[in-house]
Amino acid sequence: MIIKSAKFITSSAKFSQCPAVKAPEFAFIGRSNVGKSSLINMVTGIPGLAKVSSTPGKTQTINHFLINDEWYIADLPGYGYAKVSAKLRTKWSLEVEHYIIKRDNLVCLFVLIDSRISPQESDTRFMEMLGLKQVPFARIFTKTDKLKPGEVKKAVQKYDELMLDTWEELPVTFISSSTRKTGKEELLNFIEQSINIFKKSG
Ligand code: GTP
Ligand code: MG
């Protein structure tokens, strides 16, 4: 898929404020600082489209972008960020949970995992919740530029082994680096195919 246009639409503090649209949507989620906003910029080819920061907790709202006037990307706040107050964290996670479970046009939720860090319970638990709620998701291992190719493979294998304790089947998986543009084509192909299936299913 070729990205012809990408526009910021709106920021929503609550699920109920998200734009009411029927077009297919793809959302990016994962722990704070994992690289969600950077990946959105890399995939769309527009640096600065989503706000990036080296300080965790940058994205605090649900941000919608319209791509090619045809489909949406949602940049979600990270989970597991210790520095915001517990009250605020609970509020965000509730809104994000509503979004994940109730967003009818959500075609796939991309769960980002830092390839340098050993499997975290916050991530595995989160994916278990997605399974229970039957939310379609895929995994993206981020920041692979920080590892040697062999180490990336090992990190994914380790994750797979752990997940196979509870999962019968592993989710679709991508390897990415926003600095090296790794995974861009694969992700865009997957999005294109998913949009086609979404359209056919009416
Ligand atoms: P929150 O919005 O705070 O939850 O973070 P986020 O997941 O959106 O992460 P963001 O894209 O803001 O990136 C966090 C930090 O990681 C920034 O300093 C980025 O430059 C860096 N980063 C993101 N992706 C990559 C990558 O692929 N490789 C490297 N080396 N750094 C990356
Ligand atoms: Mg962000």
Side-chain angles (χ1 to χ4, degrees), residues 158-174:
K158 195 173 159 192
Y159 225 107
D160 288 352
E161 279 167 22
L162 180 77
M163 282 185 77
L164 284 170
D165 283 343
T166 39
W167 293 81
E168 269 175 36
E169 227 179 297
L170 290 167
V172 172
T173 302
F174 299 93

Side-chain angles (χ1 to χ4, degrees), residues 15 94-106 135:
F15 169 67
L94 261 182
E95 292 304 330
V96 172
E97 202 175 309
H98 283 322
Y99 169 87
I100 290 165
I101 296 165
K102 296 183 185 166
R103 190 76 174 161
D104 292 335
N105 62 328
L106 182 65
V135 178

Side-chain angles (χ1 to χ4, degrees), residues 31-39 51-59 75-78 142-146 176-179:
R31 297 193 312 131
S32 288
N33 212 245
V34 69
K36 301 175 288 294
S37 302
S38 304
L39 188 65
K51 298 276 183 301
V52 168
S53 170
S54 55
T55 314
K58 175 70 183 169
T59 311
D75 187 12
L76 301 174
T142 66
K143 305 192 185 184
T144 58
D145 54 286
K146 300 259 194 182
S176 83
S177 159
S178 294
T179 49

Side-chain angles (χ1 to χ4, degrees), residues 9-12 14-28 62-66 71-76 94-109 130 133-136 198:
I9 301 296
T10 188
S11 280
S12 316
K14 290 181 169 186
F15 169 67
S16 59
Q17 293 165 347
C18 288
V21 294
K22 291 204 170 77
E25 185 160 307
F26 298 82
F28 292 76
I62 301 170
N63 296 293
H64 276 88
F65 304 91
L66 175 60
W71 55 280
Y72 286 86
I73 282 179
D75 187 12
L76 301 174
L94 261 182
E95 292 304 330
V96 172
E97 202 175 309
H98 283 322
Y99 169 87
I100 290 165
I101 296 165
K102 296 183 185 166
R103 190 76 174 161
D104 292 335
N105 62 328
L106 182 65
V107 176
C108 183
L109 181 66
L130 297 178
K133 304 277 183 192
Q134 300 189 314
V135 178
F198 177 89

